[in-house]
Amino acid sequence: MIALDIERLTSGYGEAMVLRDLSLRVAAGEVLAVLGKNGMGKSTLLKTVMGFLPARGGRISLFETSATGRPPHLLASRGVAYSPQDQAIFQDLTVEENLRLGLPRGTAFAAGLDLVAGFFPFLAKRRRQRAGTLSGGEQKMLIIGRALLARPRLMLIDEITEGLQPSVILRLAEVLRAERQRGGTAILLVEQNVRFALSLADRYAVLARGEIVDEGPVGGGSAEARIAEHLSV
Amino acid sequence: MAILGVIALALVAVAPLLIDEYSVNILVRSFLYGCIAVTVDILWGFTGILTFGQAAFFGIGAYALGLAVTTYDFSAPVVIGAFIAGPLAAAAVAAIVAWLAFAPKVSPLYISVVTLVQSVIFVQVIYSGGNFTGSSSGLSGFDTFDVPMEGWFRIAGVALVVVTALGWRFVRSDFGRLLVAIRENEQRCRYCGIGTARVKTMLLAASAVVAAMAGFAYAAYNDVIAPDLGNFEFGTELVIWVALGGRGTLLGPAIAAVLIDFISAYLSGTLPFIWQLIVGLVFIVVIVLMPQGLGPALANLFGRLIPAGRRAIAAVPELLQLPDPDVGGGADGTAIAIAGLGRRYGSLHVLEDIAFEARAGELVSLVGPNGAGKTTLIRCISDGMERSAGSVAIGGTQIGRMAPEACVRLGLGRKFQAPNVFDALTVAESLRIARARQERLSFWRRADVVRLPAASLRVVRATGLADQLGATVKHLSHGAKQALELAMVLAMEPRVLLLDEPTAGLTKAERSLIGGVLVDLVREHGLCILLVEHDLEFVREISSRIIVLHQGRILLDGSVAEVTNSELVRTVYSGEPHAEAA
């Protein structure tokens, strides 16, 4: 099954077109890493898929049903989890309250908390703390914890490693790998940390000026060199 | 725009000959209301100060004349005295209101509450003044200027055109952009060394003066003044007019105020109570359908009629490099001295017993696990109100309880963890605001160059920001915002630089470039840099010293080799495979 199918997508802000005729596919259980320099449209791609930006042209399908023009909350209920780049938590709610918001309807919180605590133990220990007082890196972990709580079928992750300590990045890669093994979660990963992205991804795509300029499988060893070349120009 | 002003003046000159006396009579008042609406728009639409108190200042100006003339007589010294005393009193009240509402850590909502109360107090003072103020019936029939109605029409009309034109020029000046910057991100302004409370106080006082002068003219023309001139209903109406006309457009509120007041005067006779209901309904419809107001909606409509190529494009300023400052001798003082520093949130100790010194010419990296207190420490060094214990000195001066802008004046620059920029401004405007402390922002014009020190310019050029000077910051990518904030901080020419993950979200190539800039600043210009960073490779390349923070305490403070080879650091922090095996 195809988790995400994008055909000739065009999107942008105001008069500026950021994505041009972009097409890509993510199969169920597959991890696609989207890499590229700043301002090339990586975040715009995720925002458009999630319905926060209207598509100016093209089609988006999720799990083989059309998702073009659907609002974010309907996509979320179809099993898409989005973790944006900015610190998208509710600052004035506690850690627990933030997590509860990620809980699918009819699921017990205790089980969910166990799940998240298995990923990031500190979240269970500090569930009464106001989320805004967590450090920047801890907030990132809360975002991913909340996303995973919903047991999503597709995750859209925007630069999650930014501001995380190295050991947490390793832990995060493990968590995402395990989650994918367990539930066949597909992931569209936007990253600046090439090593992390390639440690997780099956395929990569390099975005430049709103178009995919290179793509291929990660295995084989040539990917890293080719990506480095694209990023350095 | 100048043409529009001339047309408006011509209209003001001939209109009394063309329209009936009743309309002329009403329009004098409408024009004066328009003047106050302009000040409300500058305060609320541009600077984000939602005020309900402009009516009270109008009332103060009106009563200054009424009281002076009824108490004394209608003579030149008394009238001139009232013309000076009214606006002065208004400015003094504005200063008190500002002192209450713009204190540090007070919610921005507070100014609305205080100005609302201010209007209530104004009315109560007038009520309790007995015969002196005329209480609830006000003052009327006092001697006033012998000017015909057409004369008043022209005075009020010219006043409205002049106030709008001055305001128009002002909000488009460099200083006007600072007002928007304050609305967008007051914290960043303060960390650019700008005393925002002072700016807002001055602005409120200036607006109070304009409103009081309009009130003076109103009293002189109308010869009847009542407490409801300054009540909060009128203050609220002004806000509604501004919202309907389109806040942040200046022309919209001015026109809306004149039209609504004028139509109200006509219709309130024929439809006395229904009319209020109609205005209320229109307000709701506009807010729902056109949240930006009628002005921008109409402008959009006309904008579509003009082909895109013919629309005026704002000139993009030119970048210039400042000569290198002469800082030979500054390379060996103590730049940061911290002793016994602690920070508690309730019972939670985030930082305990932090003590270290950093010298000029040193690049100290601060590393540690997430939640170790790194950002809290940066905050405690840059804002005197943040720490719970201990002392911080920058360049030999104790910061005590100094506000961030005062710390910045000691030579401090701070880059935040998440990009902290001005979304509504362009790249060039943001850089100019960062330079505001060194180069005064003009109240009148837009500078056509942006002068930056070499280090800042290097970041701007190398990260591609130089090609996006005219771009609105909101539309920049995350990484470009990071680069912009760094360039802004460097533009302030700090001596002590606090950088919280300056390269997060940047590519490897951009990282090494910024690393190079930082090393140059330290080696050649003798800056002291305190850097929070997770990328140990990057830290290793550029640092002269590393401090490891763990659970709010300093775990290790030593050379790069000492720290990176420490087994302890590997276990708590980097989690490299061989450390886990150990």
Side-chain angles (χ1 to χ4, degrees), chain A residues 15 24 51 112 143 150 170 233:
Chain A
E15 282 169 19
L24 62 80
I143 292 173
L170 293 179
V233 186

Side-chain angles (χ1 to χ4, degrees), chain B residues 35-36 38-39 54 57-58 87 90 163 205-216:
Chain B
C35 293
I36 331 176
V38 169
T39 65
Q54 283 303 93
F57 297 129
F58 183 74
V163 166
S207 306
V209 167
V210 173
M213 285 171 146
F216 179 94

Side-chain angles (χ1 to χ4, degrees), chain B residues 18-40:
Chain B
L18 305 176
I19 55 182
D20 65 281
E21 201 171 306
Y22 180 68
S23 301
V24 170
N25 185 11
I26 296 300
L27 277 171
V28 176
R29 183 182 77 185
S30 307
F31 287 160
L32 294 175
Y33 287 180
C35 293
I36 331 176
V38 169
T39 65
V40 173

Side-chain angles (χ1 to χ4, degrees), chain B residues 227-360:
Chain B
D228 57 5
L229 286 182
N231 67 10
F232 86 92
E233 274 177 70
F234 181 37
T236 310
E237 256 180 298
L238 284 165
V239 169
I240 291 174
W241 297 344
V242 169
L244 282 174
R247 68 177 162 129
T249 62
L250 223 55
L251 279 183
I255 295 169
V258 172
L259 282 184
I260 297 173
D261 183 57
F262 181 70
I263 299 171
S264 299
Y266 263 95
L267 296 188
S268 59
T270 42
L271 308 162
F273 295 106
I274 303 289
W275 168 243
Q276 299 288 351
L277 189 67
I278 293 172
V279 173
L281 283 176
V282 169
F283 180 65
I284 291 168
V285 168
V286 168
I287 293 303
V288 170
L289 297 182
M290 294 171 267
Q292 292 184 305
L294 281 165
L298 289 177
N300 257 339
L301 203 68
F302 285 117
R304 283 201 204 123
L305 301 178
I306 304 170
R310 294 200 50 194
R311 267 176 247 162
I313 296 162
V316 174
E318 192 189 341
L319 282 178
L320 285 184
Q321 183 173 342
L322 285 163
D324 265 354
D326 191 26
V327 282
D332 48 62
T334 302
I336 307 174
I338 295 174
L341 186 143
R343 175 62 166 122
R344 279 182 290 116
Y345 291 100
S347 60
L348 181 70
H349 287 264
V350 180
L351 289 174
E352 259 181 297
D353 210 18
I354 303 287
F356 67 89
E357 285 192 0
R359 307 178 71 75

Side-chain angles (χ1 to χ4, degrees), chain B residues 106-119:
Chain B
V106 163
S107 143
L109 208 68
Y110 212 65
I111 184 69
S112 309
V113 177
V114 176
T115 50
L116 212 117
V117 172
Q118 170 201 345
S119 314

